[in-house]
Amino acid sequence: MAEFDYDLFVIGGGSGGVRAARTAAATGARVALAEDYRLGGTCVIRGCVPKKIMVFASGYPDLVAEADAYGWDAQIGDFDWKRFRAKLHAELDRLEGVYRNLLNTSGVAIYETRARLQDAHHVALATGEVKSAAHILVATGGHPVRPGLENAEFGLVSNDLFLLEDLPSNILIIGGGYIACEFACILNGLGVDVTQYYRGEQILRGFDDEARDMIADRMRERGIDLQTNMNISEMDLAEKRGMSDGSSHGHDGRAVTLDDNPMSSTVADAAKPLWVKDTEGREHRFDHVLFATGRAPSTADMGLEDAGVSLGKKGEIVVDAYSQSSVPSIYAIGDVTDRLALTPVAIREAMAFVKTVFRGEKSPVDHELVPSAIFTQPEFGTIGLTEQEGFERGGVEIYRTSFTPMKKSFAGGSGKTMMKLVVDSETRVVLGCHIVAEDAGEMIQLAGIAVKAGLTKEQFDATCAVHPTSAEELVTMSSPVRKG
Ligand code: NDP
């Protein structure tokens, strides 16, 4: 009889956990996975996938306006959120089914309940069962955090947006990171009056400065009231502050489906209009406040400390290059480790874990030069050193172009594109690439291959341009605009 019930017990059924479970099972390992909400995790259920579908939905007013400029008699009507939402959730149900099937056909035992570590080899399920495993993989992901502000629980977090009963007529978004900027653009595109407060000088801290400025300008041009050096200082229910029927932005009834979804707001009052004081002392009334103020690893009440697993400052599981925690039989991957909170990174960590533990090939995870895209309008694709990081490092040349793409130019709209390469002046290796453009996410995936491969500027330029495209500019920038 086997010493343990399973060779691997995975806690968390998101992108990382599911990939690890089924690829480990493919090696012949006996694998179980526990998930207490829905299979698919943040990416599929309340993150990348529904967000991207909302990005598509929000882009149609622009497309129709453009169609008109191209000679079509095109007009856009009203957006029916309820019709869209029903279809969105049907799609998420379908995708959850795909994940379930993948696990079932791989022979992974699924426990649809909460799991907690008991010790280095035991997992206690909320059903009362205890399962033993040679290896335990924690892939519980992360969750949005609200700032420590009184009444912050009245505000929404990104999870709630997909569950809104009605689209608000206006919203205040707090934050200037990926989620804040993406949802500012999405909601603006869907017709919501968006105000965004960012506490610093410029949104998207840490990214290329020129790209940040360009995206901020474009967001403002689109009608987003983006205010920098601004934050929320107090909030309360509007009705308590005598603002209940103020500027008529309010709506009746509950805006958030407060079902048994542990990921959504738990406060019924989150549906009511809010009174907000900003850091300059001005008072406002908003239908909703969205806190896009960062995410934290989901490690609370998991029994990790009791099992001897070391946690870092943000509560993340501290792991080595092989995703192994301080307890040799316990591994962790994905957002719970607070390395790079991106789905494809979690998937790579899952594959490297399986290779290391179940295929006997020690495989560290490579977190260098990871491309990513921010789905603002326009999109922003980025990899490697920013111009500022290049100058700090020294010995770089900046190649950069900005132009209005043919499609936009013909339509007569604004819509400048920016492409930038940060190049090592000696070795000529391209150290960074930054693209602000329609479909920049698609472009950076391909340009990212060249940057990851360590190609030089001359090797970029040796590739013939594909004409007429926007991306051809990536291989035709002849002289540097700045050196440092
Ligand atoms: P980010 O860390 O990117 O942004 C958080 C924002 O909130 C920052 O602008 C931060 O300001 C601000 N903030 C933090 N605390 C406060 C506060 N108390 N008051 C006011 N503002 C505050 O987090 P996100 O939640 O946007 O995204 C989390 C991660 O998820 C990303 O880092 C990314 O890895 C991933 N993600 C990736 C996406 C993609 O690939 N397209 C899409 C969405 C998420 P400051 O800059 O001053 O710290």
Side-chain angles (χ1 to χ4, degrees):
M1 207 172 101
E3 189 188 350
F4 297 109
D5 296 329
Y6 296 104
D7 300 312
L8 173 66
F9 198 104
V10 180
I11 306 179
S15 304
V18 168
R19 179 62 66 94
R22 63 189 188 88
T23 50
T27 67
R30 297 164 308 134
V31 182
L33 179 146
E35 166 60 55
D36 67 351
Y37 181 46
R38 295 182 64 180
L39 292 170
T42 297
C43 173
V44 176
I45 304 295
R46 51 188 175 272
C48 322
V49 171
K51 179 275 305 282
K52 189 79 190 276
I53 293 173
M54 284 178 76
V55 168
F56 293 139
S58 69
Y60 284 100
D62 278 0
L63 282 180
V64 171
E66 221 165 75
D68 189 67
Y70 273 81
W72 293 94
D73 182 10
Q75 286 173 14
I76 198 148
D78 289 336
F79 177 64
D80 185 343
W81 166 254
K82 284 196 164 74
R83 183 152 69 92
F84 169 78
R85 198 188 74 150
K87 200 151 180 238
L88 174 68
H89 285 279
E91 177 63 3
L92 301 185
D93 291 347
R94 185 187 73 78
L95 290 171
E96 187 181 4
V98 169
Y99 270 66
R100 188 182 307 281
N101 272 346
L102 284 171
L103 289 171
N104 283 334
T105 53
S106 309
V108 175
I110 307 173
Y111 294 96
E112 299 200 44
T113 185
R114 187 169 162 76
R116 221 177 159 274
L117 287 176
Q118 213 168 45
D119 59 35
H121 292 286
H122 290 86
V123 173
L125 303 177
T127 54
E129 291 167 280
V130 174
K131 299 291 170 189
S132 64
H135 301 280
I136 297 170
L137 178 69
V138 184
T140 46
H143 57 274
V145 287
R146 293 178 172 82
L149 183 75
E150 199 180 337
N151 297 328
E153 68 276 14
F154 294 154
L156 304 177
V157 291
S158 56
N159 297 339
D160 301 321
L161 286 174
F162 311 111
L163 303 169
L164 290 172
E165 280 293 330
D166 297 295
L167 270 191
S169 48
N170 64 69
I171 193 165
L172 170 64
I173 299 180
I174 308 293
Y178 280 77
I179 295 178
C181 295
E182 290 184 339
F183 274 106
C185 293
I186 290 169
L187 293 170
N188 166 266
L190 295 178
V192 178
D193 192 359
V194 177
T195 304
Q196 184 180 354
Y197 292 170
Y198 173 55
R199 63 183 178 182
E201 285 289 322
Q202 186 54 289
I203 54 168
L204 299 172
R205 183 167 60 83
F207 292 97
D208 187 84
D209 282 349
E210 208 178 353
R212 296 164 71 195
D213 289 347
M214 197 164 172
I215 291 167
D217 289 348
R218 293 286 296 280
M219 285 171 66
R220 290 190 177 106
E221 275 168 29
R222 300 180 69 82
I224 295 167
D225 180 10
L226 168 61
Q227 303 183 32
T228 50
N229 295 311
M230 184 62 77
N231 208 344
I232 185 170
S233 68
E234 287 180 62
M235 69 188 288
D236 205 345
L237 296 177
E239 64 191 23
K240 279 207 200 160
R241 302 286 177 148
M243 271 185 143
S244 51
D245 49 9
S247 53
S248 78
H249 288 311
H251 47 80
D252 303 325
R254 289 149 52 116
V256 184
T257 306
L258 301 166
D259 56 13
D260 58 354
N261 170 3
M263 300 295 169
S264 73
S265 279
T266 51
V267 182
D269 284 342
K272 295 183 178 169
L274 296 167
W275 166 87
V276 163
K277 192 187 260 186
D278 67 31
T279 39
E280 292 189 353
R282 287 173 307 210
E283 298 179 44
H284 311 270
R285 180 183 183 278
F286 291 100
D287 282 356
H288 280 302
V289 172
L290 168 69
F291 288 111
T293 43
R295 295 175 61 85
S298 295
T299 47
D301 194 26
M302 287 281 305
L304 288 158
E305 294 95 327
D306 298 344
V309 175
S310 300
L311 300 183
K313 277 200 191 109
K314 289 169 78 181
E316 76 276 15
I317 299 180
V318 178
V319 290
D320 67 10
Y322 305 99
S323 299
Q324 191 172 29
S325 79
S326 53
V327 177
S329 58
I330 301 177
Y331 288 73
I333 55 164
D335 292 7
V336 77
T337 63
D338 196 35
R339 288 178 280 184
L340 264 180
L342 298 170
T343 298
V345 173
I347 289 173
R348 295 178 88 82
E349 289 166 356
M351 310 280 277
F353 157 76
V354 171
K355 246 180 157 178
T356 300
V357 175
F358 293 97
R359 294 197 187 276
E361 296 167 45
K362 279 200 114 183
S363 305
V365 184
D366 180 4
H367 290 105
E368 292 301 311
L369 287 174
V370 172
S372 73
I374 305 181
F375 295 95
T376 39
Q377 287 157 357
E379 291 179 8
F380 175 30
T382 179
I383 182 170
L385 286 196
T386 64
E387 178 169 343
Q388 298 67 47
E389 289 166 343
F391 286 151
E392 272 160 36
R393 168 190 179 275
V396 293
E397 291 183 357
I398 307 300
Y399 292 79
R400 178 250 187 219
T401 180
S402 180
F403 58 96
T404 302
M406 186 193 280
K407 188 176 169 212
K408 295 273 178 217
S409 166
F410 183 86
S414 60
K416 276 211 160 173
T417 285
M418 195 272 290
M419 297 186 187
K420 179 183 285 185
L421 296 178
V422 181
V423 177
D424 185 304
S425 351
E426 291 231 328
T427 64
R428 308 296 299 149
V429 168
V430 177
L431 305 169
C433 176
H434 311 279
I435 306 174
V436 178
E438 204 171 290
D439 294 327
E442 304 292 339
M443 292 186 213
I444 201 67
Q445 178 66 81
L446 301 179
I449 299 171
V451 177
K452 180 74 184 162
L455 299 193
T456 62
K457 174 75 173 70
E458 283 61 38
Q459 286 169 314
F460 269 63
D461 296 351
T463 307
C464 193
V466 177
H467 186 70
T469 63
S470 288
E472 67 179 305
E473 301 279 338
L474 283 170
V475 298
T476 58
M477 290 184 268
S478 55
S479 30
V481 291
R482 290 180 282 277
K483 293 182 184 189

